[in-house]
Each structure stands twice: as structure tokens, then as C-alpha cells.
Amino acid sequence: MYKPYAHPDTPGTPPRGPALRCPCCQGPVQRIPRRLIDRLRSLFSPVQRFRCPALPCGWLGNLPTSDRSRDQPSDGSNYII
């Protein structure tokens, strides 16, 4: 069956890499668009916004991202730009 291509970062698609789990029910989560406050918070500690699609749970919140490449140089040194 034909399935249209969706970019991996579009809202509602599963996250790439290790599967993230809902902190309440341990089910899979769906990525949703961030709010302005979430974007501001990401300047200090990268986060993405997720929701739990399970009806009984309904969790909605931010989870830290595992991609630290934009915060740290590729050579592993710790210096402030």
C-alpha cells in the first residue's frame, strides 16, 4: 500500500533514534509543535514537546533531547562560544 513520505521532524511522527516513552504510562509518545516558552527554554537545555496518544493517560509535556551536538563542539572540548 502507498504511504506518502513525511519528513521525520513533522509533528505527530514518531521520534528518531531510541523510542521515547511516556513518563506516566510508559507507552510511545508523539512529537507536537513547541510553544514559545519551550523554544526559549531550549536555549539553555534542549527540549522537545510530546504527547501521549493513549486516551486514559493523555500526558502532555517536554522531554529532553538526546542531541547535544549543537551545545558541545565535535572535538569533545568544553568551551563557551
Side-chain angles (χ1 to χ4, degrees), residues 3-80:
K3 183 176 180 182
Y5 173 77
H7 190 273
D9 291 331
T10 55
T13 58
R16 290 181 283 171
L20 296 175
R21 297 289 180 184
C22 173
C24 293
C25 71
Q26 300 303 316
V29 293
Q30 292 178 334
R31 190 167 166 203
I32 59 173
R34 293 183 292 177
R35 302 171 298 173
L36 177 62
I37 192 72
D38 300 328
R39 292 182 185 276
L40 294 173
R41 180 181 173 197
S42 286
L43 294 173
F44 304 102
S45 176
V47 295
Q48 292 178 341
R49 192 153 180 85
F50 294 93
R51 73 175 184 91
C52 180
L55 292 177
C57 179
W59 176 83
L60 180 70
N62 296 327
L63 294 175
T65 62
S66 60
D67 180 22
R68 305 293 295 178
S69 62
R70 71 179 187 134
D71 295 339
Q72 296 179 351
S74 60
D75 63 359
S77 61
N78 291 322
Y79 57 86
I80 299 174

